Amino acid sequence: MRSDSDLTGRARIRDAALKLFGAEGVNRVSVRAIAARAGVSAALVLHHFGSKEGLRKACDAYVVEMVRGGPGADLDDVSGLAAMLEASSAMRLYLGRAFLDGSPAAAALFDDIVAAAERWLEEGVRTGRVRPSDDPRARAAVYVTWLLAPLTFGEHLTRALPGGGSETDRTLRTSRAGIEIFTRGLFTDDRVLDAWDAVREERRSP
C-alpha cells in the first residue's frame, strides 16, 4: 500500500472521493469536502475533473477497472466477483452505492458479470458440476445478485450476525451459508417450488 504522500494529486482526490462518496453518497458530498479530505484546494479538484460529476465518473471507471482485474481482463472466469469481495472497504462501499444509485458504469458491469456467470454456469452443466435450469439467465442473475449482496447489505448483515468478527470473517460466513444452500439445497421436497409455479401459471391464465 502506498502512503498518501506517494500518490499524485489526482489520485489523492480520487481516493478521497471514493471514501466520501461510498460513506455518504454522491449527492451529500461537496467538492470542498473532497478537497479537504485530499489536502488540496477545491480549484485543483475542478482542474483535474471539471466538476463533481466528472469526478464521480472517474471513480466509476477506476473501481470498475479494478473489479475487472485491470484493462483487458476477461470476466469469464468470474474473477471480478471475487475481486469485489476482496476489495478495500472504501471500494466495496463505493461500488455498493454505485449499484444502488444506478451508476451507468456499475450497471454495465453488473450486466457483464451476469452474462459471464451464465456462461460459467452453463459450462458447469456441460461438465456435470451444475444442475440444469429451466431459466439459465434468471439463475445467473440471481446468483450474481446473491454474491453482490454483502456490498449493499453489509451494515444489515453486521447487525443480523453479531459477534461475527472482522468484515472478512462475516463475508466468509455468509458466503459459506450461500454455497451450502447452492450445493445441498434448502427444501427437502418440491412443495414450495410447486406452489410458486402454480401462482405463476394462474397469472398466465386469461
Side-chain angles (χ1 to χ4, degrees), residues 120-136:
W120 178 68
L121 289 168
E122 285 303 293
E123 178 61 24
V125 172
R126 286 190 288 272
T127 59
R129 293 182 296 105
V130 177
R131 293 185 177 89
S133 170
D134 293 335
D135 192 340

Side-chain angles (χ1 to χ4, degrees), residues 55-78:
L55 178 53
R56 183 195 65 78
K57 290 180 179 179
C59 288
D60 275 359
Y62 173 74
V63 170
V64 167
E65 183 178 298
M66 291 300 101
V67 168
R68 288 176 182 274
D74 186 358
L75 281 175
D76 272 356
D77 61 358
V78 203

